[in-house]
Amino acid sequence: MKIIGIEERIGVYEDKPFHNVNFHCAEEFNNDKSEGLKVSVVKVRYDVLTKTFGKELTTSEIKSLVGKYIEEFLYDRYRNVSYVEFADSTETSKK
């Protein structure tokens, strides 16, 4: 699936700080009665991205992910994204 948009969200909810990155993704689908792009939004905690890339990312590095392809999102038992597997290495992933 291709990242077509990035939305970084930082704030406080119920007295707890949060830092999330919403990935707006699109993937093609085609069957007998349908064709086009299926779009979805996947929320990823910022600390998951730091684990994925092995470093903290700047806002511009996060924005540079637009246009990249994701192989898959891995989930924990609570159905939260625990790791993002990219289809190819990116400049952002270099330590």
Side-chain angles (χ1 to χ4, degrees):
M1 83 181 51
K2 182 177 183 177
I3 300 170
I4 57 173
I6 292 282
E7 180 183 17
E8 189 174 13
R9 302 188 54 125
I10 302 169
V12 177
Y13 179 74
E14 295 182 353
D15 296 325
K16 293 182 182 179
F18 67 86
H19 188 174
N20 298 320
V21 178
N22 291 338
F23 286 85
H24 295 256
C25 302
E27 65 182 314
E28 292 184 29
F29 68 94
N30 187 340
N31 59 41
D32 292 342
K33 297 180 183 179
S34 304
E35 186 171 327
L37 293 174
K38 178 172 57 171
V39 295
S40 60
V41 177
V42 179
K43 180 177 78 172
V44 178
R45 290 187 329 266
Y46 177 76
D47 63 323
V48 170
L49 284 180
T50 62
K51 184 173 89 174
T52 297
F53 288 103
K55 68 174 191 169
E56 292 194 17
L57 302 177
T58 65
T59 297
S60 61
E61 287 175 318
I62 292 170
K63 287 180 177 181
S64 75
L65 297 173
V66 173
K68 304 293 182 190
Y69 288 89
I70 292 176
E71 192 70 37
E72 71 177 313
F73 291 102
L74 303 176
Y75 294 87
D76 64 16
R77 65 181 177 188
Y78 303 108
R79 301 195 43 81
N80 295 314
V81 174
S82 60
Y83 192 80
V84 181
E85 188 172 319
F86 289 86
D88 56 358
S89 64
T90 63
E91 287 297 314
T92 308
S93 67
K94 294 182 180 174
K95 295 182 183 177

